[in-house]
Amino acid sequence: MISNEKIEFLLQDPALKPELRSIAEKVFNQERITPDEGILLYREGELGFVASLANHIRERMHGDDTFFNRNFHIEPTNVCVYDCKFCSYSRLIKKRGEGWEYTLEDMMDIVKKYDGQPVTEVHIVGGVLPQYDLQFYAEFFQKIKAHRPDLHVKALTPVEYHYIFKKAKVSYAEGMKIMKEAGLDSMPGGGAEIFHPDIRLQIAADKCTGDQWLQIHEEWHKLGGRSNATMLYGHVEGYEHRIHHLEELRKLQDRTGGFQTFIPLKFRNQDNQMSHLPEVNVIEDLRNYAISRIYLDNFSHVKAYWPMISRNIAQLSLSCGVDDIDGTIDDTTKIYSMAGSEEQNPAMSTRELVNLIRQVGRRPIERDTLYNVIKDYTDEVFEEDTQFKGYVALPVVN
Ligand code: V47
Ligand code: SF4
């Protein structure tokens, strides 16, 4: 665990630039850094420096606790009316027969498959199509709750909500209220991409804007709801666009306090219209986790979505401000292969996940969606793998 003395040691480095020293002092004194300081960290903060600061914050907030949860995913469809350049779903609308479009019954069958298993959450997200409208999702949420009232419904993003509310001619506030009454418990972080219009127009021109994404989360927070936020980085954006994105999130969080977790998503270049772009390197991934942790002083958690970055990088991220490594149970690897995951087979048993966390000296804590502790696995002795076979990735859409 990094101690205050270590930060003091860092501050004594005579080679440290005064501007960077001032940022380190702010972190040490629990003061907020400015957008200009954020950009400076991206431009000049070496990995060792930003990781030390981020780890200090992470350990101040959570000690060695490292969270994961047990959930499963449902994707209503992999066909989408929108045309995000980084997404492998977008082109499928032209060849609709190649995708799938589940009915309500199909999706309830998936929910029922998990009957009796200790999953706490269902994560629902997919492409956008006209038949998946407000009434459809309201009925789906109601049916899930009628079948399994304690299952946390983490569903849809402002991309879908903007589309279905517009179609139903209801305001964001009214729409979110209808969703809550139907059984929505929280919102995942997808669809955020990069808020800045200069970039958003290049990569995701036709779906909800950055401001609309933020407004829908704000309405949800006003109802007492919790949500996550993501940032798709490492494509055509500059550091100033990343800081603009983080600043917008930090401002909204100051107003509502409704965000739980920030999840940076590394742009992967396989099977999409941006395949010509190179991917950023691991150092940049780790620096990005660290700077996000430093900048978002009002977010409780930073999550590394391990299937997108590989297990080894996920382990390293735990020293760069990350305190959550997701973790899902499913057997539907088919979709992930479309999104260009780092892992050939992005599946991990509970034992593997727990060991991955323990190997780097952290405490594996199973949590529910709202971060209530379900089980501390620090001293768990595994006789054999649990009955749950796979930790499998969520498809990267929205
Ligand atoms: O919004 C799409 C991203 C997101 C690519 O809230 C891509 O707990 C990289 O939001 N390369 C959806 N990323 C996934 C998501 C998510 C994941 C895990 C946990 C949570 C949570 C949310 O995936 C999309 C988009 O930003 N994405 N294509 C790509 N080629
Ligand atoms: Fe559709 Fe989401 Fe893919 Fe964009 S990222 S094309 S909104 S599924």
Side-chain angles (χ1 to χ4, degrees), residues 88-327:
S88 52
Y89 284 13
S90 62
R91 62 195 157 70
L92 284 173
I93 189 78
K94 293 172 199 133
K95 328 181 211 170
R96 220 166 152 178
E98 288 178 20
W100 68 86
E101 295 172 36
Y102 290 151
T103 64
L104 207 55
E105 289 66 40
D106 294 334
M107 296 204 279
M108 281 311 295
D109 285 345
I110 300 175
V111 172
K112 288 174 189 161
K113 232 175 70 184
Y114 291 91
D115 282 358
Q117 296 197 20
V119 288
T120 58
E121 172 190 290
V122 55
H123 186 156
I124 304 162
V125 73
V128 177
L129 283 182
Q131 76 262 31
Y132 301 113
D133 58 11
L134 188 144
Q135 206 185 335
F136 178 94
Y137 279 120
E139 202 182 329
F140 182 33
F141 298 167
Q142 280 159 0
K143 279 193 154 46
I144 296 173
K145 287 293 179 186
H147 180 73
R148 192 167 171 177
D150 60 336
L151 188 65
H152 184 107
V153 175
K154 181 169 97 177
L156 313 187
T157 73
V159 177
E160 288 103 338
Y161 288 126
H162 171 78
Y163 180 89
I164 67 177
F165 296 163
K166 205 169 151 206
K167 200 157 173 269
K169 298 189 172 50
V170 297
S171 67
Y172 290 164
E174 287 162 341
M176 290 317 303
K177 195 159 168 278
I178 294 168
M179 291 293 118
K180 188 178 165 79
E181 282 164 6
L184 179 71
D185 292 305
S186 71
M187 265 164 71
E193 325 313 354
I194 287 283
F195 295 141
H196 198 289
D198 287 354
I199 301 301
R200 201 169 184 88
L201 285 171
Q202 291 180 56
I203 64 169
D206 50 358
K207 68 182 181 187
C208 72
T209 64
D211 282 347
Q212 288 164 338
W213 190 99
L214 290 158
Q215 280 163 26
I216 290 174
H217 278 265
E218 182 153 17
E219 292 304 334
W220 176 241
H221 294 172
K222 278 190 208 158
L223 296 173
R226 290 304 182 106
S227 64
N228 293 339
T230 57
M231 173 172 77
L232 181 71
Y233 70 94
H235 41 89
V236 293
E237 88 289 1
Y239 289 145
E240 68 280 18
H241 302 118
R242 290 194 208 174
I243 287 295
H244 171 266
H245 191 95
L246 296 177
E247 176 64 14
E248 291 296 307
L249 290 174
R250 196 167 76 172
K251 282 194 303 206
L252 176 52
Q253 180 74 332
D254 276 344
R255 289 203 295 281
T256 66
F259 287 119
Q260 299 203 112
T261 308
F262 178 65
I263 310 151
L265 295 170
K266 174 198 182 91
F267 163 68
R268 305 311 307 257
N269 65 7
Q270 283 165 44
D271 202 20
N272 57 51
Q273 296 169 69
M274 289 162 69
S275 295
H276 56 286
L277 292 176
E279 293 178 357
V280 295
N281 65 30
V282 173
I283 305 292
E284 189 60 15
D285 293 328
L286 296 174
R287 276 179 7 100
N288 188 60
Y289 284 120
I291 296 167
S292 304
R293 177 63 285 173
I294 296 166
Y295 202 85
L296 294 176
D297 60 347
N298 53 5
F299 273 61
S300 296
H301 303 280
V302 175
K303 188 196 279 189
Y305 191 44
W306 67 262
M308 292 300 272
I309 53 168
S310 89
R311 297 159 204 227
N312 290 336
I313 314 301
Q315 283 183 317
L316 289 175
S317 77
L318 298 181
S319 302
C320 299
V322 167
D323 63 279
D324 189 313
I325 54 171
D326 206 79

